[in-house]
Amino acid sequence: MDELRRTLSELKHLRRASIEKDMCTHPGVIGGLCIRCGQKVDDQSGVAFGYIHKDLRLGNDEVARIRKRDFKNLLRQKKLYLVLDLDHTLLNSTRLLDITPEEEYLRSQTHALQEPLKGSLFRLDYLHMLTKLRPFVRTFLKEASNLFEMYIYTMGERAYAMEMAKLLDPENVHFNSKVIAQGDCTQRHQKGLDVVLGHESAVLILDDTEPVWVKHKDNLILMERYNFFASSCRQFGFNCKSLSELKSDESEADGALATVLEVLKQIHGMFFDQKLGDNLVDRDVRKVLKTVRMEVLKGCKLVFSRVFPTKFQAEKHQLWKMAEQLGALCTTELDPSVTHVVSTDAGTEKSHWAVREKRFLVHPRWIEAANYLWQKQPEENFPVKQTKSQL
Amino acid sequence: MQFHLRHFDRDLCDKLVAKLMKDVEGTCSGRHGFVVAITGVEHVGKGLIRDGTGFVTFPVKYQCVVFRPFKGEILEAVVTMVNKMGFFAEAGPVQIFVSNHLIPDDMEFQSGDMPNYTTSDGSVKIQKDSEVRLKIIGTRVDATEIFCIGTIKDDFLGVISDPGATF
């Protein structure tokens, strides 16, 4: 009887101990060990956060928990999240062997890697590359860091990403544990906010490439591409001389980064506007972005002429959708309320109508410029030429 | 220990010890842990020539200092990195991760150029180079490193010294 009682009490102890062990839900695993109870865990579920630690995986509940807590923390500091692309957005890199004869002069103009704060052109021998930082980038990062917690997200490899981070952030103040590279993406050829420890409703993305952000188009601010080197120009099919060959560069005060910084400040200001009354936690930066965008071409009514291929459904065209996102009204037929005719040929009926009725006649690039510069551009800068095939 | 015949000269013994130190110090084994330093060579056995190669194998018996953290052990470590997941600390060759689950609830993460965990009144701060006392709750040993999970949620654990403090 005694033995039975003793065995029962031992069993109870064991059961309690094993329940305690099992009770841990293993919210995350690092180096094969649970981050909460320290046990060895073989689980490969959840999302890998290799950019924080090479062996870190977090379960979905844990990611949600961290996001929630971090968001509250950020809101107290009046900050949002900003995800930054590298190539053609903050900088431009070229392989040493792709340098053209007219770019040779750059070789002697590179700055020492030990003094990244001093220059904008760097030579990385072990990566066999030259990298040019976009004008205004340092000021941009410094000012943006007061309003946003920033991430780097590139489709380049980790080694490249870390070197670029060192150039942009030599004191490791902005991007500590926040450099996401190609290997961290959960889907091939797609960037995702699933590996960013921030709520989607509070993230803005700056990238020159739209197709990689299919799932998060509403968070994206499309940047005008920075093509400094000749190889970059060629990559995108431009036959003209590059900025490096022309010994020129994007304007620092008027360039893309300066412009987008003002937009970011505006969005940030609107998000944290005290007068709106509702809880900050419930606000969505995507809505604010949409609102700001809709102001750009507000009041414009557009008709397109010789812009879309025949039999193409006009409303589905990228330019139509871009114009609508910018706040313009688009229509297929002329009427007295039309303000602009967007055309590639000044000889069409619609183009003639615009001139006759003293409405604006603009090239489609007028819409693209508004998209990149966040402001309606003077219509006279986008004239339309008459094409030669006129009868 | 494998040794090539070309090294056989009057300094053979010293070379053996030097190679031993170079090969073994800094390695890990699951059984003994991290080999920190060799303190003495007890005995070098007869060398056995390996057929077909110029190598001779010597069995060497030696003493050394090893470091192996155990589950439940209390250690002092230096913080190397702090982020929103928790912090990493080092105790000699051993790296320890303390997740925010195992940091006292009254400590909040503060991001910035010197990320840290601080109590609400600001009296206690954990940042890079802080010294902390922590308890090991899990270990993993592989050929080159020992990785541990630690906690500072128990009594008497936490910051020992604040690098920013002035006295």
Side-chain angles (χ1 to χ4, degrees), chain A residues 213-309:
Chain A
W213 287 107
V214 164
K215 279 200 259 177
H216 305 288
K217 274 195 290 230
D218 297 330
N219 300 75
L220 175 64
I221 293 177
L222 197 64
M223 287 289 284
E224 200 179 342
R225 260 183 203 135
Y226 183 54
N227 290 326
F228 182 77
F229 294 107
S231 63
S232 235
C233 283
R234 277 200 301 273
Q235 182 188 349
F236 292 104
F238 298 126
N239 273 325
C240 53
K241 281 195 195 265
S242 64
L243 289 169
S244 54
E245 289 168 330
L246 295 169
K247 296 217 165 102
S248 158
D249 204 350
E250 202 181 65
S251 153
E252 180 133 353
D254 277 331
L257 287 176
T259 309
V260 90
L261 180 63
E262 290 309 306
V263 176
L264 289 174
K265 282 182 183 166
Q266 189 185 359
I267 296 174
H268 180 274
M270 280 173 74
F271 186 94
F272 285 104
D273 189 354
Q274 296 290 358
K275 289 180 262 149
L276 289 174
D278 61 332
N279 249 333
L280 277 180
V281 182
D282 300 319
R283 293 192 196 169
D284 193 328
V285 78
R286 292 168 290 197
K287 291 207 180 87
V288 181
L289 178 60
K290 205 170 182 175
T291 311
V292 173
R293 230 188 220 130
M294 295 280 263
E295 293 290 315
V296 179
L297 289 183
K298 193 159 136 184
C300 300
K301 191 162 178 186
L302 313 180
V303 163
F304 294 86
S305 174
R306 207 153 290 174
V307 172
F308 312 132

Side-chain angles (χ1 to χ4, degrees), chain A residues 27 30-31 33-38 40 52-53 58 62 65-66 69-70 73 77 149 151 173 177 197, chain B residues 81-85 88 95 97 99-102 108-109 111-113 115 137-140 145 147 149:
Chain A
I30 187 170
L33 303 170
C34 168
I35 60 174
R36 193 152 173 214
C37 69
K40 285 194 171 63
I52 298 180
H53 186 276
L58 296 176
E62 178 67 359
R65 189 193 74 98
I66 294 178
R69 217 189 48 173
D70 198 57
N73 203 346
Q77 294 176 54
E149 180 177 293
Y151 279 75
V173 162
S177 296
L197 288 172
Chain B
M81 174 155 73
V82 182
N83 60 46
K84 57 180 92 167
M85 300 277 335
F88 287 88
Q95 203 189 36
F97 176 62
S99 83
N100 51 47
H101 289 274
L102 301 172
E108 289 278 339
F109 175 66
S111 56
D113 46 333
I137 60 163
T139 67
R140 198 207 66 210
E145 60 161 9
F147 188 76
I149 301 288

Side-chain angles (χ1 to χ4, degrees), chain B residues 74 86 129 149 151 153:
Chain B
I74 313 275
D129 298 331
I149 301 288
T151 174
K153 223 169 180 180

Side-chain angles (χ1 to χ4, degrees), chain B residues 24 26-36 62 64 66-69 139-146:
Chain B
V24 172
T27 61
C28 264
S29 85
R31 214 169 122 209
H32 305 292
F34 200 88
V35 176
V36 178
Y62 60 92
C64 58
V66 289
F67 179 38
R68 193 187 147 198
T139 67
R140 198 207 66 210
V141 181
D142 67 33
T144 52
E145 60 161 9
I146 302 182

Side-chain angles (χ1 to χ4, degrees), chain B residues 18-51:
Chain B
K19 185 163 199 291
L20 178 74
M21 290 172 79
K22 193 174 110 197
D23 284 353
V24 172
E25 274 178 4
T27 61
C28 264
S29 85
R31 214 169 122 209
H32 305 292
F34 200 88
V35 176
V36 178
I38 295 181
T39 53
V41 175
E42 206 176 283
H43 177 256
V44 179
K46 286 198 179 141
L48 198 62
I49 301 174
R50 303 190 78 85
D51 288 337

